[in-house]
């Protein structure tokens, strides 16, 4: 077995069988600037505690897989420059080479499964990029959802992605895509979109039962919970469309490719909206953390 370093609170929660929510670290190192990244990460952890669950932020630090970070470790990660972004393909190499890496949705799911954690909150997942028909750029997050039994709570997918194609891949891979409390698939900065979600659930208990039923049937994989952004934090799609188009055309012009694409687009959108995108991002991540805590509590009760 791979060595896992647990934080004090996660070790205690595991010992008592209480609810734990995994959190990714790419959002800290590649998704938001310092110092807001550390402030938001700590706030999201506190939201999970306030909701009665234990947060487990996941990262590789100096070759050790951490599940739960102590406050000083979170600070250190948030300030380190040039941290690698690690997904399924690079996490084992990062550990083997003794390096530090921030985990994507895919890598966080893998670590959560190793640690026996079944619920994970984030902002947005990776997906099928615009122009994927020529670039073939499809996030490993989608294939991870098909094979690793973790329920991922996100606010839908960003319009930097081709959302219809992202939903098609998830369907092909047999991943349940469940909108929480509404019929349409939320579009990250907007609560509503004109796409229907394949499934809808209105309670954390249903979501927990669906994941457990999936595993009991011998089906591998998790589920994607699409939780709409709170109304007061929404940004209209018309405001963001030109910003996203500009970020995308800069990425194309500069030949940005591979795993650099998503961080490049997120950074440019942050700059072009003068931080407005960040305010919305914070509100939706906190909202996802609260729902994930409720799901994790239901799972813990069902597994007790
Ligand atoms: N989408 C967002 N915010 C993010 C990411 C995606 O709206 O922070 C990050 C997540 O860590 C996600 C990763 O798992 O980017 C996807 O990268 P890629 O497209 O290279 O797989
Ligand atoms: Mn990619």
């Amino acid at each position: 077995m791979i060595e896992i370093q647990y934080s004090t609170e996660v070790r205690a929660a595991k010992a008592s069988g209480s609810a734990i929510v995994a959190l990714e670290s790419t959002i800290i190192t590649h998704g938001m600037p310092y110092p807001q990244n550390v402030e938001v990460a700590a706030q999201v952890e506190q939201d999970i505690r306030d909701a009665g669950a234990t947060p487990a932020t996941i990262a590789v630090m100096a070759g050790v897989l951490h599940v739960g970070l102590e406050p000083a470790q979170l600070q250190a990660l948030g300030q380190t420059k040039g941290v690698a972004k690690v997904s399924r393909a690079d996490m084992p190499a990062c550990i083997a080479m003794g390096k530090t890496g921030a985990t994507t949705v895919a890598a966080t799911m893998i670590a959560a499964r190793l640690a026996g954690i079944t619920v994970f909150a984030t902002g947005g997942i990776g997906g099928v990029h615009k122009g994927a028909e020529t670039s073939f750029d499809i996030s490993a997050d989608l294939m991870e959802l098909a094979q690793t039994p973790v329920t991922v709570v996100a606010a839908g997918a960003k319009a930097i992605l081709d959302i219809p194609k992202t939903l098609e891949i998830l369907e092909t891979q047999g991943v349940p895509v469940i909108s929480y409390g509404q019929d349409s698939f939320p579009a990250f900065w907007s609560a509503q979109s004109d796409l229907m979600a394949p499934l809808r659930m209105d309670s954390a208990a249903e979501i927990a039962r669906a994941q457990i039923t999936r595993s009991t049937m011998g089906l591998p994989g998790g589920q994607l919970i699409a939780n709409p952004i709170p109304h007061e934090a929404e940004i209209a799609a018309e405001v963001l469309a030109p910003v996203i188009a500009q970020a995308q055309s800069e990425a194309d012009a500069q030949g940005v490719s591979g795993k650099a694409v998503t961080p490049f687009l997120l950074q440019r959108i942050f700059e072009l909206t003068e931080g407005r995108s960040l305010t919305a991002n914070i509100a939706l991540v906190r909202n996802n953390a609260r729902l994930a805590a409720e799901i994790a509590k239901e799972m813990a009760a069902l597994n007790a």
Side-chain angles (χ1 to χ4, degrees):
M1 267 304 269
I2 186 94
E3 180 204 344
I4 297 179
Q5 178 72 55
Y6 293 102
S7 63
T8 313
E9 65 182 333
V10 172
R11 195 177 303 114
K14 275 179 66 69
S16 67
S18 62
I20 305 175
V21 175
L23 296 165
E24 63 158 303
S25 45
T26 294
I27 198 171
I28 301 171
T29 56
H30 293 70
M32 298 181 189
Y34 181 81
Q36 288 103 319
N37 60 350
V38 174
E39 289 162 16
V40 173
Q43 178 66 64
V44 171
E45 289 195 344
Q46 192 54 43
D47 290 330
I48 290 170
R49 292 185 198 103
D50 291 347
T54 300
T57 301
I58 289 173
V60 178
M61 297 181 78
V64 177
L65 178 57
H66 285 256
V67 174
L69 297 180
E70 305 298 345
Q73 294 170 331
L74 189 64
Q75 268 290 339
L77 184 70
Q79 288 182 64
T80 307
K81 296 226 159 44
V83 175
K85 167 185 160 191
V86 298
S87 190
R88 166 173 276 260
D90 3 59
M91 185 164 57
C94 181
I95 293 170
M97 293 191 291
K99 293 188 174 167
T100 293
T103 52
T104 63
V105 168
T108 304
M109 290 177 72
I110 293 168
R113 186 185 63 78
L114 290 169
I117 301 171
T118 53
V119 185
F120 163 22
T122 188
I125 61 157
V128 180
H129 278 268
K130 290 188 171 138
E133 55 276 24
T134 49
S135 70
F136 277 50
D137 189 347
I138 301 175
S139 176
D141 293 353
L142 303 183
M143 279 43 105
E144 204 60 52
L145 279 161
Q147 57 186 311
T148 300
V150 174
T151 289
V152 178
V153 183
K158 282 209 173 102
I160 58 173
L161 300 173
D162 186 321
I163 298 175
K165 287 194 182 70
T166 299
L167 290 173
E168 287 294 346
I169 294 280
L170 287 166
E171 187 189 9
T172 302
Q173 300 276 336
V175 177
V177 176
I178 302 163
S179 272
Y180 181 65
Q182 68 179 35
D183 294 327
S184 82
F185 185 70
F188 200 84
W189 286 294
S190 311
Q192 303 287 339
S193 75
D194 46 19
L195 292 162
M196 294 294 277
L199 294 162
R200 167 187 176 150
M201 291 185 191
D202 295 290
S203 75
E206 286 176 328
I207 294 168
R209 272 204 305 278
Q211 176 69 63
I212 289 171
T213 304
R214 188 163 160 78
S215 295
T216 309
M217 290 178 74
L219 299 174
Q223 23 182 39
L224 175 61
I225 309 306
N227 187 30
I229 184 172
H231 285 296
E232 62 280 7
E234 282 186 287
I235 307 178
E238 312 83 78
V239 174
L240 280 163
V243 168
I244 291 165
Q246 181 179 339
Q248 183 71 58
S249 72
E250 288 177 11
D252 294 343
Q254 294 175 35
V256 180
S257 68
K259 61 199 246 181
V261 172
T262 301
F264 179 91
L265 295 174
L266 298 182
Q267 176 62 26
R268 285 303 286 143
I269 292 166
F270 169 71
E271 290 162 3
L272 293 167
T273 59
E274 293 165 340
R276 189 156 169 227
S277 67
L278 183 61
T279 309
N281 219 325
I282 294 168
L284 67 86
V285 175
R286 296 185 64 184
N287 191 46
N288 294 344
R290 288 185 288 261
L291 176 57
E294 296 308 321
I295 299 167
K297 287 192 288 181
E298 295 290 348
M299 294 250 202
L302 287 166
N303 288 325

